[in-house]
Amino acid sequence: REKAYDVRDSRVKGFVIRVNPSGAMSYAVQYARGKRVNLGKVGVIKPSQAREKAIQILADHTHGIAPQPASQPKHAIPLLKHFLADDYGPWITTHNVAGAEDLKTLERHFSHLFDRYLNEITIQDLEKWRTHKLATKAMLPNTINRTITPLRSLLSKAVEWNVIAENGLAGLKVLKYDDTRIRYLAEDERSQLFDTLACRENTLKAQRRNANTWRKERKYECYPEIMAHEFADHVLPMIILSLNTGIRKSELFRIKRQHINLAQNTVFIEKSKNYLARYVPLNKTARNMLVIWLAQTNRLQSPWLFPSPYDPNKAITCVYKAWVKVLRDSNIMNFRWHDMRHDFASNLVMKGVSLYAVQKLLGHKKIDQTMKYAHLAPDYIAESVGRLD
């Protein structure tokens, strides 16, 4: 089922098997209302052994002896790596749109905790990790907070499934940071960015022509030709779409060809950060780009708008290296991919578009998230005070 449920024993009242959405099962005994003790995984211990433990715990509770969950044998609580592989991994990739990304985050940043039992992961472990990240300036505070979230969610789900008694990171405080940062492109930066992208396009096309000339001379199979009006690869189309729609990078990767409606000039965002599907209108710049890109990639027969160059059946999942090189060649500092979303919103507000409209275009759940752009609105403060006249 979508949620965990219990299968109760017909012989011993309170003795249950907990069945998780992933299919993993474990024995438990409920000795009082809302209180239970995990006894071990199904398949690890025998039903008769688990039933005997349940009877002993129920008998102790009757005589006023409180069960001690912490005294369970270690094998009753899984290692983080086993819980990820057997239970949490299959569940989150099925039920969460960003599940695969969360698993990558856990593997990339917390693999040093994989051999720990779930109940042994503590706040001190995370404090040590983020202190190192701050000291080496490897991450900004808001990035650290976002990176820790998947691990906290995993432990919360383990508590919900009665795998552990409590979340060891429940009391971890988030780092404070300035969430009003707004970075958008100045006009000279915008010009320099597209000059660099145009140069990059010409270079890649020239490299393709040279490669095919070399292959023809040796009678090798040639790469597909890139026509003069086509794009060299996915980088420029993705940047054009991001700057002109404000779509999040994660949303951009998940757009399918069927989500593009050129008749109505819209792109449908099926899965968003806030689980709020929305239609984003396309301006002429974005639409003209998509007409070319859709025709160019049609031969790949991929369901994705931006298919992987290695496997068309999969979507692109990373543009980091190309993006960093473009910024370096453009001499643009302190500008992240996500800042193209800020650039989109800032330009709309500065051109008089209402904050409510910007909120809907960005897919913000609350207007509070959009209000940080309010100071960019022409005469915004003056108009508010003027209403007193």
Side-chain angles (χ1 to χ4, degrees), residues 44-269:
V44 176
I45 61 174
K46 296 179 180 179
S48 57
Q49 293 174 319
R51 189 178 285 109
E52 287 177 10
K53 289 183 181 181
I55 293 171
Q56 184 61 53
I57 289 173
L58 291 169
D60 288 345
H61 178 66
T62 302
H63 291 89
I65 302 174
Q68 300 295 325
S71 64
Q72 298 178 81
K74 278 190 174 182
H75 64 257
I77 296 176
L79 297 173
L80 174 56
K81 63 182 179 183
H82 293 156
F83 183 67
L84 264 174
D86 300 337
D87 303 312
Y88 191 71
W91 176 84
I92 195 172
T93 50
T94 303
H95 293 85
N96 193 314
V97 296
E101 295 172 20
D102 284 354
L103 293 181
K104 287 181 181 178
T105 298
L106 290 168
E107 186 174 354
R108 185 181 304 119
H109 297 285
F110 302 113
S111 58
H112 62 287
L113 300 175
F114 277 15
D115 288 322
R116 296 275 194 93
Y117 292 96
L118 292 182
N119 61 338
E120 293 179 347
I121 299 173
T122 65
I123 291 177
Q124 186 179 7
D125 295 322
L126 272 293
E127 289 281 15
K128 183 183 295 185
W129 174 82
R130 70 183 184 184
T131 297
H132 172 72
K133 295 297 181 182
L134 288 171
T136 58
K137 297 182 178 180
M139 283 186 179
L140 294 172
N142 59 329
T143 307
I144 290 175
N145 290 340
R146 287 199 307 272
T147 304
I148 290 174
T149 297
L151 183 58
R152 297 180 70 158
S153 299
L154 177 148
L155 293 177
S156 295
K157 187 58 68 174
V159 173
E160 181 184 328
W161 290 344
N162 294 304
V163 177
I164 54 177
E166 60 182 17
N167 184 343
L169 303 181
L172 182 68
K173 295 181 179 179
V174 298
L175 296 173
K176 294 181 178 180
Y177 65 94
D178 180 14
D179 61 351
T180 61
R181 177 190 183 276
I182 298 176
R183 172 73 164 93
Y184 54 90
L185 292 169
E187 285 306 314
D188 60 331
E189 290 179 321
R190 191 180 305 276
S191 298
Q192 185 59 42
L193 174 64
F194 280 97
D195 287 345
T196 300
L197 288 168
C199 182
R200 180 180 182 276
E201 287 281 305
N202 293 333
T203 300
L204 291 178
K205 289 178 180 179
Q207 289 174 349
R208 175 63 61 86
R209 288 193 299 270
N210 293 338
N212 280 341
T213 300
W214 185 88
R215 298 179 75 86
K216 282 179 183 177
E217 292 173 353
R218 289 157 181 78
K219 297 183 180 180
Y220 295 153
E221 183 180 354
C222 292
Y223 299 120
E225 292 288 346
I226 303 174
M227 307 301 291
H229 66 281
E230 293 181 333
F231 296 100
D233 65 3
H234 56 275
V235 174
L236 179 54
M238 292 181 85
I239 291 174
I240 291 174
L241 195 59
S242 297
L243 286 172
N244 288 277
T245 60
I247 293 174
R248 298 179 179 93
K249 183 166 65 172
S250 58
E251 296 169 345
L252 193 68
F253 291 155
R254 290 193 289 265
I255 296 176
K256 294 182 178 179
R257 295 174 67 91
Q258 66 186 36
H259 295 156
I260 305 297
N261 189 330
L262 295 178
Q264 297 181 359
N265 290 331
T266 60
V267 54
F268 176 59
I269 306 301

Side-chain angles (χ1 to χ4, degrees), residues 236-307:
L236 179 54
M238 292 181 85
I239 291 174
I240 291 174
L241 195 59
S242 297
L243 286 172
N244 288 277
T245 60
I247 293 174
R248 298 179 179 93
K249 183 166 65 172
S250 58
E251 296 169 345
L252 193 68
F253 291 155
R254 290 193 289 265
I255 296 176
K256 294 182 178 179
R257 295 174 67 91
Q258 66 186 36
H259 295 156
I260 305 297
N261 189 330
L262 295 178
Q264 297 181 359
N265 290 331
T266 60
V267 54
F268 176 59
I269 306 301
E270 182 182 28
K271 300 174 181 179
S272 69
K273 178 182 177 182
N274 298 317
Y275 298 94
L276 297 176
R278 69 188 191 280
Y279 286 92
V280 178
L282 300 169
N283 62 7
K284 290 182 181 179
T285 304
R287 188 186 188 282
N288 292 340
M289 177 277 294
L290 285 171
V291 169
I292 299 171
W293 181 250
L294 287 171
Q296 177 180 341
T297 56
N298 187 51
R299 61 177 177 264
L300 299 176
Q301 297 182 334
S302 172
W304 303 100
L305 178 62
F306 297 109

